[in-house]
């Protein structure tokens, strides 16, 4: 039987059938199969489309529009689309109730593959004449804007041919728009429109329509779940106001006016607009406004308290100077502007009475200098002699030190803009002033002078090197100021980078020669630190490293100090790259020397602290080596060390340092032997350090083992060993809890769900009065980051958010426990304190389980109320004053508790004082 849409009676069916819209897919199937032409369908719908009843016509148009939206976009031919387009244009003249569905339908038409842009001319003419945009509802206005955008994107060249009438139509459509979502759409679209469509004599009209919204004054509805914010609108509006050069005069007049406004947001928006405008407006546009602009910028940039306003002013100044700099070779306007800034700031600098005032004025010059190569040249050229004179004139040490630091910043900018050679004479003036500063007895002067000199080491001339080095070597030999010593070492290192021969003769083979060092026991460590620092430079590496390894091998008394110096310097990744450490190990056998020295020291039974640096040095060196090299080294020593561990547990510390930093893909059968040894010592060694290091190594193996068989093998070995332990040995329990802590940490960091098994064991210990303290310490261990253990440098697996997972797991496991009224309350709360202190507030605030949030609150209250102990004090702000006020539950109560707790903590005296006081 033939479907109803094949017959003229179809119009009546549309009118009478309330479910007719459900039939569109069947109609589309017949259209695509060729059983009915779309033009025939329109003819059969003539009755409903021309009905005298508006509601009937609207229903017919809605049915046909739904057909168009569901048809494949490549199905209709250009002739069919032309027919449909004309049909929809005619419908624009219909009743206002019909307009919404007409707009929806035309959006579907222009998305068709064969849509011809020639169809849109008549559409826009009729649309702008017949449909007053701002009289339509929000959604229909949006559809009008969307049609303009889509057609502009489809063929911008044709849209240009529509001329001023089209532009006027767009202006009329958007004028008066008030809906924030529509405005946000328009503000994002208008810059594209303006850049492609000439405005001609309508430029001022378009700017007036846009600028009436400036500055944005809008407050979103509190009930809107996805509200557009004032900031969203303001950020989108700014590019509209300066989208084309033709807006320059109108925009700058408006901008200057709003900069003088008393409204803070108007000032900030205007400064942002100024910065944005510099991307579009010509430099000549700003000439009539420069004095006024600088005056306004200067006023806001020196604001005492509003950092956002100051930052916006700095950004505006930078953008303006950068834009004006493009005219440096055509006129004097740019140079005059920069010199005006210099004169203003020189006055401010001269009248500065505090370092803060000096710094604030100096930042203005630095912003200006950073804006362009040309402004940098002018400011450095003018300001270096001015600051040198200022240094002589000012007697305040803080101001003199600030001026030296300012010169260092100017050098940085000169280097950035590659004008150092052009300003060679000025660079010498800065370095002369630095030398004057470092010649002072005050460490503050010296530190400031050396910091600036370090920046400028590349341009330090030979005639100044010797005076600097004399001061530096004197500091190394005699200064007791740790900060001055550190900066002195850095300064010699900086000079050596560019003048290795001079430093080799003056320092390495001179006053700090290794043979001479051994004689001066008091200053040995300081000069060793200098030499190990210099060893990172290629020209010094071989000489210094070979001599130091010789001392480690032959001089028992001085070896610990050499190892300490090497460890301190080589731990600094800014000095020693992985490639450099690998080179040192390959060329000089650093690990061999240190391992042999350690085994000898352990055999002699010397103080444990004397060789701790050796363990760290080995671990860090191993971490920098490729896997193949690591494998060779550990195989070389493993068997011997396992045998030595049977004699003296302390030899395990060497094992741990060798295996701690191996790559995660390094797996060998011998690792099972090391794991077994680690497990045995973690529980049975009488040395606390050995037990802890054994636990650490177990954790490293579990954390780094590859997923699958390798991990499963080690995990089974672990469980088998622990299941064989005696259950009646009470001395074993605290040691087991420590081991459980490290195992849990290793597993949760690699995102292994097996951590829960071990966490439950720790929780059981917390509920036991005899072992609650050890359980709390295990929790602390799990949530604490250690630079020397389970770190990325040691190639460990560290999944993001493992601390959040720890919070969720601990809170779930304790949800049904009532430990707040038990004998272990203190250690239970202590565990919560450790966890909450490391958990982001957002996790607490958004936890899906209300009971967990309440539980967290209860613990927070108890921590604040009952336990102002020395252990909990470090967590007071993170746990109570910071986290608690952000929780959703019982906010007022939490705030009150926070205030009470704050008062209580301030009143508490020395840790350990009676809680009831």
């Amino acid at each position: 039987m033939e479907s109803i849409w094949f017959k003229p009676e179809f119009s009546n069916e549309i009118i009478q059938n309330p479910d007719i819209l459900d039939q569109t897919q069947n109609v589309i199937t017949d259209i695509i199969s060729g059983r009915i032409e779309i033009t025939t369908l329109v003819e059969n719908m003539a009755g409903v489309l021309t009905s005298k009843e508006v509601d009937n016509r609207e229903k017919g148009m809605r049915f046909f529009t739904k057909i168009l939206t569901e048809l494949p976009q490549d199905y209709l031919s250009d002739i069919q689309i032309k027919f449909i387009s004309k049909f929809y244009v005619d419908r624009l003249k219909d009743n206002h109730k019909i307009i919404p569905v007409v707009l929806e339908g035309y959006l579907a038409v222009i998305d068709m593959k064969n849509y011809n842009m020639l169809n849109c001319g008549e559409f826009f003419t009729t649309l702008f004449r017949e449909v007053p945009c701002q009289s339509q509802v929000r959604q229909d206005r949006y559809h009008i804007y969307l049609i303009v955008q889509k057609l502009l994107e489809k063929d911008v060249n044709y849209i240009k041919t529509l001329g001023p009438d089209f532009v006027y139509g767009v202006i009329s459509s958007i004028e008066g728009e008030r809906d924030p979502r529509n405005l946000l759409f328009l503000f994002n679209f208008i810059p594209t429109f303006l850049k492609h469509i000439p405005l001609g004599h309508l430029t001022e009209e378009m700017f007036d329509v846009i600028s009436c919204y400036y500055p944005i004054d809008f407050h979103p509805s509190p009930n809107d779940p996805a509200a557009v914010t004032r900031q969203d609108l303001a950020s989108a509006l700014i590019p509209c106001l300066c989208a084309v050069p033709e807006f320059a005069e109108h925009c700058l007049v408006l901008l200057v006016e709003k900069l003088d406004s008393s409204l803070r947001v108007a000032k900030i928006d205007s400064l942002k607009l100024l910065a944005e405008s510099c991307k579009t407006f010509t430099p000549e546009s700003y000439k009539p406004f420069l004095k006024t602009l600088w005056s306004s910028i200067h006023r806001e940039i020196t604001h005492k308290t509003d950092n956002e306003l100051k930052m916006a002013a700095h950004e505006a100044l930078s953008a303006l100077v950068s834009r004006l700099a493009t005219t440096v070779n055509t006129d004097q306007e740019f140079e005059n502007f920069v010199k005006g800034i210099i004169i203003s700031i020189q006055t401010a600098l001269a009248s500065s009475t505090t370092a803060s005032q000096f710094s604030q004025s100096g930042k203005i010059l630095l912003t200006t200098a950073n804006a362009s190569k040309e402004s940098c040249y002018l400011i450095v050229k003018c300001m270096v002699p001015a600051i040198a004179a200022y240094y002589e004139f000012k007697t305040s040490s803080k101001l003199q030190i600030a001026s030296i630091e300012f010169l260092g910043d100017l050098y940085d900018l000169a280097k950035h803009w590659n004008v150092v050679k052009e300003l060679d004479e000025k660079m010498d003036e800065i370095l002369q002033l630095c030398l004057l500063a470092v010649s002072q007895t005050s460490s503050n002067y010296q530190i400031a002078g050396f910091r600036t000199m370090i920046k400028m080491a590349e341009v330090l001339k030979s005639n100044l090197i010797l005076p600097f080095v004399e001061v530096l070597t004197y500091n190394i030999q005699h200064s007791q100021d740790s900060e001055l010593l550190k900066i002195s070492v850095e300064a010699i290192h900086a000079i050596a980078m560019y003048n290795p021969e001079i430093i080799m003769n003056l320092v390495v083979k001179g006053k700090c020669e290794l043979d001479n060092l051994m004689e001066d026991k008091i200053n040995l460590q300081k000069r060793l630190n200098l030499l190990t620092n210099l060893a990172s430079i290629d020209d010094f590496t071989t000489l210094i490293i070979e001599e130091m390894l010789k001392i480690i091998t032959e001089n028992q008394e001085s070896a610990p100090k050499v190892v300490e110096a090497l460890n301190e310097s080589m731990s600094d990744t800014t000095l020693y790259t992985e490639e450099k450490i690998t080179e040192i190990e390959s060329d000089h056998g650093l690990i061999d020397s240190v391992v042999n020295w350690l085994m000898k020291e352990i055999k002699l039974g010397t103080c444990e602290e004397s060789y701790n640096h050796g363990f760290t040095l080995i671990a860090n060196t191993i971490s920098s080596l490729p896997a193949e090299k690591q494998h060779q080294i550990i195989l070389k020593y493993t068997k011997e060390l396992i045998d030595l561990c049977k004699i003296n547990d302390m030899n395990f510390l060497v094992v741990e340092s060798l295996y701690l930093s191996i790559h995660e893909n390094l797996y060998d059968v011998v690792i099972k032997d090391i794991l077994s040894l680690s497990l045995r010592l973690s529980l049975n060694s009488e040395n606390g350090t050995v037990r802890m290091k054994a636990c650490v190594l177990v954790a490293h193996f579990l954390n780094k083992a590859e997923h699958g068989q390798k991990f499963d093998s080690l995990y089974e070995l672990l469980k088998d060993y622990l299941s064989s332990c005696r259950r009646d040995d009470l001395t074993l329990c605290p040691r087991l809890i420590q081991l459980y802590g490290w195992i849990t940490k290793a597993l949760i960091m690699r995102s292994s769900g097996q951590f829960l098994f071990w966490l439950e064991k720790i929780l059981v210990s917390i509920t036991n009065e005899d072992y609650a303290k050890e359980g709390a310490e295990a929790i602390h261990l799990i949530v604490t980051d250690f630079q020397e253990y389970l770190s990325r440098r040691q190639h460990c697996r560290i999944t993001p958010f493992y601390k959040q997972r720890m919070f969720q797991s601990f809170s779930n496991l304790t949800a049904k426990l009532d430990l707040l009224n038990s004998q272990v309350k203190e250690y239970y709360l202590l565990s919560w304190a450790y966890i909450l202190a490391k958990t982001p507030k957002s996790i607490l605030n958004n936890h899906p389980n209300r009971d967990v949030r309440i539980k967290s609150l209860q613990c927070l209250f108890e921590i604040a109320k009952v336990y102002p102990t020395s252990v909990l004090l470090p967590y007071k702000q993170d746990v109570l004053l910071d986290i608690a006020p952000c929780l959703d539950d019982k906010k007022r109560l939490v705030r009150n508790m926070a205030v009470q707790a704050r008062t209580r903590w301030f009143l508490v005296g020395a840790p350990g004082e009676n809680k009831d006081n």
Side-chain angles (χ1 to χ4, degrees), residues 516-533:
N516 295 334
L517 287 178
M518 299 302 108
E519 297 176 5
D520 185 358
K521 303 301 180 185
I522 297 175
N523 295 311
L524 174 61
Q525 194 67 58
K526 291 188 289 186
R527 283 181 269 177
L528 283 173
N529 289 340
L530 168 62
L531 292 173
T532 53
N533 183 292

Side-chain angles (χ1 to χ4, degrees), residues 185-242:
F185 175 87
L186 284 172
F187 293 163
N188 285 311
F189 163 65
I190 284 173
T192 303
F193 178 87
L194 295 175
K195 286 171 184 174
H196 291 99
I197 306 301
L199 297 176
H201 67 280
L202 296 171
T203 298
E204 187 172 354
E205 284 81 354
M206 176 62 88
F207 184 83
D208 288 344
V209 167
I210 301 170
S211 63
C212 71
Y213 299 103
Y214 184 81
I216 292 290
D217 182 15
F218 170 71
H219 301 283
S221 168
N223 300 321
D224 191 339
V228 174
T229 67
R230 193 212 81 87
Q231 189 56 48
D232 293 334
L233 291 170
S235 298
L237 174 60
I238 284 172
C240 299
L241 295 167
C242 55

Side-chain angles (χ1 to χ4, degrees), residues 617-634:
L617 177 58
I618 292 173
N620 286 343
T621 303
I622 289 279
S623 73
S624 300
L625 303 180
E628 304 79 27
K629 184 68 174 174
Q630 288 183 348
H631 196 220
Q632 293 171 13
I633 291 171
I634 61 176

Side-chain angles (χ1 to χ4, degrees), residues 13 43 76 246 284 453 459-460 503 526 602 654 667 687 693 715 796 829:
E13 179 69 14
E43 291 172 1
L76 296 179
E246 291 82 359
E284 292 73 23
M453 187 232 79
V459 296
L460 182 62
I503 297 301
K526 291 188 289 186
I602 291 170
V654 184
Y667 183 87
N687 185 292
K693 296 272 189 174
Y715 192 68
C796 292
L829 288 175

Side-chain angles (χ1 to χ4, degrees), residues 481-492:
D481 186 315
S482 58
E483 187 177 3
L484 181 57
L485 278 170
K486 185 175 183 294
I487 200 74
S488 297
V489 171
E490 291 177 13
I492 292 180

